[in-house]
Amino acid sequence: MINLEKEIREQPEALSRVLDLNLPVIREVVEKAKANGVKNVYFAARGTSDHACVYAQYLFGIFAGIPCTLGTPSVFTKYGAHVDLSGNLVVGVSQSGKAEDVLAVLESAKKDGAITVAVTNNTDSPMAKSADYHLFCGCGHEASIAATKTFTTQMTILGAMAAVWAGCDDLLDAFRALPAKAQEMLDAKYDDIMAFAEKYRNIPGAILLGRGISYCIALEGALKMLETNKLKMKGYPTSDFHHGPIAQVKPGDLVFVLSPKGATSGDSRDIIEKLLNVNADVVVLTDDASEAPAGTTPFVIPATGCEFTFPQIAVMFFQLLACCMTIVRGIDPDQAGVINKITITK
């Protein structure tokens, strides 16, 4: 079994322990932040970790009413500017914990007296050692170039922080239910996803659309497909796609619409109608078959019962599709040419 598939299949176990590993520290972080009057969270990350922070932005806003900034590390490292982060909770996220520009943000924030947190899968990493607090993915070594289990654990760690901040036990319970749903996804949907891979093995690329809580998966799903299969993929927020980007869609173009049942259902229906009017090939990834109207191809994933944990299961669809497409296309996803597992940006 290739590393990519092996690590995708390790996610139920990783998700089953990530809360126990981190909740005590998360509660300390939140208690300290509230005692210090923190009113803003500043995230610094790159690549897949950046997408986990997009997910967290929504949860902090929806449940805790806390504004979040998705940071710009180049401001610190390339332009040599000082951004005053005093009074913020500053969270650096990196699978390896070696991202030099993210580390620079944490170190600058510490000098400003901000509370700093590192979320990594490496307890001995520079970021883990630099930050005031370390939150640990704890999902074992990740060898595949494409991050999978580190992404879902990062999302869950950050989501748990938002839940604790908001005092929302229901959301924590939804995270605790994820391992069983992740296992169901792996057991029940693999053959269907392999069939998708066979059907779309020769596509030049595709567009992924998601709004709100699903937007991070439009970004991450596109990244998994392009870095493993070298396809031209692009993720967009559904709301922005109306404002110009839809003009690129031609008859037969493949578009994935992420459509969990919930607050953004109407937005999904609106964009699907426009896409069908230009004869796009529309795949609706959903947890409820009623979200996929006639003329689309539905793919129904296990419902978690909570739209805010839809992303952890939805991303597994794209992880598995990327993996299956490498199989049918004869590609080794662990040999990605110009891409390295650990990319150090400065």
Side-chain angles (χ1 to χ4, degrees):
M1 185 183 293
I2 57 176
N3 285 327
L4 179 58
E5 183 176 351
K6 174 178 175 289
E7 289 164 7
I8 290 169
R9 293 187 177 279
E10 289 172 354
Q11 287 176 107
E13 183 181 354
L15 289 167
S16 71
R17 60 175 176 259
V18 72
L19 290 182
D20 288 341
L21 279 173
N22 291 288
L23 270 176
V25 178
I26 287 173
R27 296 189 193 282
E28 284 185 42
V29 170
V30 171
E31 183 178 355
K32 180 71 174 293
K34 288 186 174 182
N36 284 21
V38 168
K39 299 295 184 184
N40 188 77
V41 180
Y42 188 96
F43 291 111
R46 291 293 187 193
T48 286
S49 299
D50 204 59
H51 302 159
C53 294
V54 172
Y55 173 75
Q57 280 186 299
Y58 280 95
L59 290 186
F60 269 94
I62 293 165
F63 286 93
I66 297 293
C68 299
T69 303
L70 198 57
T72 49
S74 296
V75 169
F76 297 78
T77 59
K78 293 302 177 184
Y79 296 96
H82 173 251
V83 177
D84 184 0
L85 294 174
S86 59
N88 283 253
L89 174 64
V90 180
V91 183
V93 187
S94 165
Q95 175 263 323
S96 68
K98 297 178 181 179
E100 291 187 13
D101 50 356
V102 177
L103 177 61
V105 174
L106 290 174
E107 290 176 339
S108 180
K110 284 190 77 171
K111 291 178 182 177
D112 291 337
I115 302 167
T116 58
V117 179
V119 181
T120 83
N121 195 40
N122 184 350
T123 56
D124 293 324
S125 64
M127 283 175 54
K129 293 177 179 179
S130 173
D132 298 322
Y133 299 93
H134 181 234
L135 299 173
F136 183 38
C137 295
C139 52
H141 178 63
E142 189 174 65
S144 179
I145 288 170
T148 54
K149 58 184 179 176
T150 50
F151 177 65
T152 49
T153 51
Q154 284 173 351
M155 280 199 299
T156 304
I157 288 168
L158 296 172
M161 193 185 303
V164 169
W165 198 304
C168 185
D169 290 339
D170 287 347
L171 185 56
L172 285 176
D173 288 343
F175 291 133
R176 291 189 179 97
L178 276 171
K181 291 299 179 180
Q183 192 64 57
E184 182 182 347
M185 178 72 180
L186 292 168
D187 292 343
K189 298 298 181 180
Y190 181 84
D191 289 345
D192 293 338
I193 292 172
M194 180 60 81
F196 260 67
E198 291 281 4
K199 178 179 179 180
Y200 292 113
R201 65 190 300 169
N202 295 319
I203 59 168
I207 291 165
L208 285 70
L209 303 177
R211 184 159 194 192
I213 202 67
S214 298
Y215 172 48
C216 63
I217 305 306
L219 297 173
E220 178 63 11
L223 179 60
K224 290 309 100 170
M225 295 290 289
L226 69 86
E227 68 185 347
T228 55
N229 286 272
K230 301 175 177 62
L231 297 170
K232 293 183 178 179
M233 312 290 290
K234 177 72 173 176
Y236 292 91
T238 304
S239 49
D240 285 0
F241 201 67
H242 294 277
H243 298 278
I246 195 171
Q248 71 189 284
V249 180
K250 304 182 297 297
D253 283 355
L254 178 60
V255 183
F256 292 93
V257 179
L258 289 123
S259 187
K261 189 172 184 64
T264 60
S265 293
D267 302 274
S268 297
R269 286 192 294 270
D270 289 345
I271 199 67
I272 288 169
E273 182 179 356
K274 287 187 176 182
L275 291 166
L276 291 176
N277 285 339
V278 296
N279 295 313
D281 183 356
V282 182
V283 175
V284 180
L285 185 65
T286 182
D287 52 3
D288 187 316
S290 67
E291 294 289 307
T296 66
T297 300
F299 195 98
V300 182
I301 64 175
T304 65
C306 173
E307 65 182 299
F308 303 105
T309 53
F310 172 85
Q312 281 91 332
I313 307 303
V315 77
M316 292 178 67
F317 168 84
F318 291 108
Q319 293 170 351
L320 286 168
L321 182 59
C323 182
C324 289
M325 286 192 75
T326 66
I327 294 170
V328 301
R329 289 158 58 91
I331 296 170
D332 181 353
D334 298 324
Q335 300 293 327
V338 298
I339 304 175
N340 298 314
K341 174 59 182 173
I342 298 174
T343 303
I344 306 297
T345 49
K346 299 180 179 180

